[in-house]
């Protein structure tokens, strides 16, 4: 699978979406319309970014972005306030923004296999 159709946004009641181990280079903006999503796996693709519309996924609890080409955590991720699990392993990350403290429900953060130079002090504010 090299792309997701824009029509995916019509699946308004979709709760779980696994699209791992494909050849996706981008995610359609329309996925942001799937506001009931609770689990999203985009692992093992060729993604370097995510559309800002994914900020609308306010019920998302688990996000797997591992094994992609992500150099910077997409801004929309920091707006996913209900995230409990975030896997960013095996990407091209060199740092993590202070914005990470916005993920107040985060319990599991996986960052292995990156080129991290340091971790932000804001990480200490994640008390879960």
């Amino acid at each position: 699978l090299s792309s997701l159709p824009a029509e995916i946004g019509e699946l308004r009641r979709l709760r779980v979406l696994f699209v791992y181990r494909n050849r996706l280079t981008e995610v359609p903006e329309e996925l942001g319309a799937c506001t009931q999503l609770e689990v999203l796996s985009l692992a093992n693709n060729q993604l370097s970014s995510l559309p800002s519309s994914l900020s609308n996924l306010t019920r998302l609890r688990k996000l797997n972005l591992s094994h992609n080409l992500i150099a910077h955590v997409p801004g929309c991720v920091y707006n996913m306030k209900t995230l409990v699990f975030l896997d960013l392993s095996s990407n091209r990350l060199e740092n993590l923004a202070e914005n990470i403290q916005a993920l107040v429900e985060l319990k599991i953060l996986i960052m292995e296999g990156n080129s991290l130079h340091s971790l932000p002090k804001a990480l200490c504010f994640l008390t879960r």
Side-chain angles (χ1 to χ4, degrees):
L1 188 64
S2 58
S3 66
L4 283 175
E7 290 80 11
I8 193 127
E10 295 175 23
L11 302 174
R12 303 286 161 98
R13 298 174 78 187
L14 187 67
R15 291 188 179 209
V16 177
L17 178 62
F18 283 83
V19 198
Y20 59 91
R21 287 196 179 148
N22 284 286
R23 291 171 298 174
L24 299 179
T25 57
E26 61 182 17
V27 174
E29 288 276 345
E30 290 81 1
L31 186 60
C34 298
T35 56
Q36 300 300 306
L37 266 178
E38 295 175 11
V39 179
L40 176 59
S41 178
L42 296 166
N44 292 85
N45 280 288
Q46 298 166 13
L47 300 171
S48 57
S49 64
L50 294 176
S52 59
S53 65
L54 296 194
S55 291
N56 297 333
L57 304 182
T58 57
R59 294 179 182 227
L60 201 64
R61 298 184 50 76
K62 296 182 180 180
L63 177 61
N64 188 344
L65 296 171
S66 67
H67 297 89
N68 276 289
L69 306 173
I70 299 170
H72 305 284
V73 178
C76 62
V77 171
Y78 297 118
N79 291 324
M80 298 173 176
K81 309 279 190 234
T82 56
L83 275 185
V84 172
F85 174 94
L86 176 59
D87 189 346
L88 290 162
S89 61
S90 299
N91 275 287
R92 296 181 174 173
L93 296 172
E94 292 186 2
N95 58 46
L96 190 59
E98 294 286 336
N99 300 14
I100 192 71
Q101 69 183 355
L103 303 180
V104 294
E105 297 296 322
L106 200 61
K107 292 181 181 177
I108 299 170
L109 174 62
I110 305 171
M111 303 283 296
E112 65 189 10
N114 283 288
S115 298
L116 294 170
H117 300 295
S118 63
L119 293 173
K121 289 180 183 173
L123 204 54
C124 298
F125 296 116
L126 298 179
T127 58
R128 301 228 177 223

